Amino acid sequence: TTSVAASRQTVESRPAPLWQRTYLDGICLALAGIVFWKTAASGYQIVLATEGVTSVSVDYTAFLAPLLLWVGAGLLTVRLGWLFLGHGRRVIEPLAAGLAGAVAPAVASSLSRQRHRVSAGIAFAALAIAFATSTALFNTTYEAQSRVDAELTNGADVTVTGSTSAAPGSILDKLKAIPGVVDAQAMQHRYAYVGTDLQDLYGIDPSTIGQATTMSNAFFQNGQAKATLAELARTPAGVLVSDETVNDFQLKQGDTLNLRMQDASGTYKVIPFVFAGVVREFPTAPRDSFIVANADYVAKMTGVATRETVLMRTQSDMAAVKSAAIRLVAGMPGTRVTDLGDAVHLIGSSLTAVDLNGLTTLELAFAVAMAAGSTGLVLALGLADRRRGFAILAVLGANARVLSAFIWAEALAVVIGGFVFGVATGWLVAQILVVVLQGVFDPPPEALAVPWPYLAGVVVSVVISTVLAISNALRETRVEPILRLRDMQ
C-alpha cells in the first residue's frame, strides 16, 4: 500500500521549471542593469539639439532595459511567491489566524500546496499593476515637465519684456498690484562678449528671483539651485556661465572672467567678473550659451540700472493678468506680454511640444482595465478550478465560513502580493524610462510626479474586481455539496 504522505511527497517532488533552474529571472535583471548602465554612462539622448537644430536619434536597444526589467521582475515574483508559500508556512499561519481562526493551519497548508498556481497568479497581477503604475508615473511626469518647459521658455506664468529705453522694471510696483499676481521680479537682459562670442546676459537678484519663477535644481550643473544662487548672492561680481564657456576658457571656481559690455554711453568696456558656477537652463534664456550675474553689479559697472524683463507668478486666471499687464504697458513701445499658453504654442524645438493627452487617456484606461481584469480573472479561474475541492470539504463538514476563509486567503495573497511587487516594478520601470528618455524632458525632472488620484482609481478597480470574483465563488459555497459533485461528474 501507498501512504498519503508518500503520495504527497511524490507529487511535490516534481522538478522546478527550466527557467527557475537556469535562473532566467536573474539573467534578465542583470542584463537590464547592464543595458541601463551602458545607456546612462554613454549619455544617450533621444533628442539632439545641436546649435538649436532639433533632430531625433533613436537607439532602440536602450529600451531593452525596461523590457528586461519587466520580464525579469515577473519571473522573480513567481520565484519569491513559490518560495514564500512553500517555506513560509510558519509566517502564513499566524497571518491567516485572524481570518481563518481555528482552520488557519489548514488554510496555510492549502496555500502551500497551491503555491505554483497562486505564485503565478501573483506574478500575473503584479505585471498588470506594474504596467499601470509605470504608465501613470511616466505620463504624469511628462505632463508636469511640459508645464516646466513652457515656464522655462516663457520665463514665468506671465512675462513682460521690453528694452532698455522702455523697461517694464520701471513699473514693477504697478505690475505687482494686478489682482491675481502673487509676486513679480524684474530682471536685466543685456548682451556681453565672452572673447569673440556674443552671449545673452541676465542680471538678477539671486535671493528673490525664485519668488516669481521656478528655480529648478536641473538648471545648474551641481543640481543645487539654492546653493548656487546663494553663492552668487555672496559674490557681488559673481557670474554663472555655460558648460561650453567653462570648457573653452578652462575656468575654475573663483577665476576672473573679463566680459565686454556696453555702458551708459553705448561704448563697450571690459568688466571683470568672478566665475561662481555653471548654469545650463534659465527662464527666458536661449538653449545655447548665456550668462547669469547680479543685477546690482551689472548696473554699477555699466551705469545702466534699468531692468528689461519682469517675471510674474499668478494664482488665478493668467489671461486676466496678461490683459491687465498689456493695458499697463500700452504706452511703452516695443514691450510684449506673454503667458504660458503662448509658450506652449511656440515651443517647437522639443518633443514636449507634442500633445499626448489623448494617447495618455487611452493608455491609462487600458492600464486600469488590464490591472482590474487580470486580478479578477486570475482569482475567478483559480477559484473555479477548486470547486471540486470545496465541495469535498463541504461534504466532510466544512461550513460556509470555513470555505470563505480559504477563498479570502487566496484572494488576499494574490492581491497583496500583486500590489507589492507590481508597484515596486512599476516605479523602477518608470525611473528607467525617464532616464532613457531624458532628452524628451527639458529640463529633466528632479523626481517622478505621482498621480495619486489615478493610482487610487487602480486600487479601487482591482478591489472591485476581486470582490466580484470572491462573491461569485462564495455563491458556490451555498450550493448543496452533493449537487456540486453531481454537476462536476
Side-chain angles (χ1 to χ4, degrees), residues 182-193:
V182 177
D183 202 344
Q185 294 293 323
M187 178 175 70
Q188 295 170 339
H189 182 197
R190 311 285 177 82
Y191 297 93
Y193 276 101

Side-chain angles (χ1 to χ4, degrees), residues 143-322:
E143 292 298 327
Q145 288 305 114
S146 295
R147 178 181 173 86
V148 173
D149 189 12
E151 184 174 337
L152 180 63
T153 301
N154 189 62
D157 295 339
V158 178
T159 301
V160 184
T161 56
S163 61
T164 303
S165 59
S170 61
I171 58 169
L172 179 61
D173 291 338
K174 294 181 180 179
L175 292 172
K176 281 185 176 182
I178 295 176
V181 174
V182 177
D183 202 344
Q185 294 293 323
M187 178 175 70
Q188 295 170 339
H189 182 197
R190 311 285 177 82
Y191 297 93
Y193 276 101
V194 185
T196 59
D197 184 21
L198 182 64
Q199 297 184 16
D200 295 78
L201 183 144
Y202 299 90
I204 65 170
D205 183 343
S207 61
T208 60
I209 187 67
Q211 297 173 10
T213 187
T214 301
M215 288 288 108
S216 172
N217 290 330
F219 291 176
F220 306 95
Q221 184 190 53
N222 60 6
Q224 300 177 15
K226 289 184 178 179
T228 303
L229 292 174
E231 178 64 25
L232 182 62
R234 286 193 297 267
T235 312
V239 67
L240 307 177
V241 298
S242 66
D243 287 297
E244 182 180 353
T245 302
V246 173
N247 294 331
D248 289 345
F249 294 92
Q250 296 296 303
L251 296 176
K252 296 181 180 179
Q253 196 84 4
D255 284 352
T256 298
L257 183 63
N258 293 317
L259 306 180
R260 287 188 297 137
M261 298 183 64
Q262 281 186 324
D263 59 16
S265 64
T267 59
Y268 281 93
K269 61 179 293 188
V270 176
I271 300 176
F273 287 86
V274 177
F275 173 53
V278 176
V279 60
R280 291 174 171 171
E281 305 274 5
F282 204 76
T284 73
R287 299 185 186 277
D288 51 4
S289 300
F290 59 91
I291 304 164
V292 178
N294 286 290
D296 290 341
Y297 181 76
V298 173
K300 175 184 175 182
M301 300 303 292
T302 61
V304 182
T306 55
R307 303 195 180 193
E308 295 81 4
T309 303
V310 173
L311 307 177
M312 306 167 67
R313 188 188 296 276
T314 66
Q315 65 180 1
S316 59
D317 186 9
M318 283 186 292
V321 174
K322 177 183 176 182

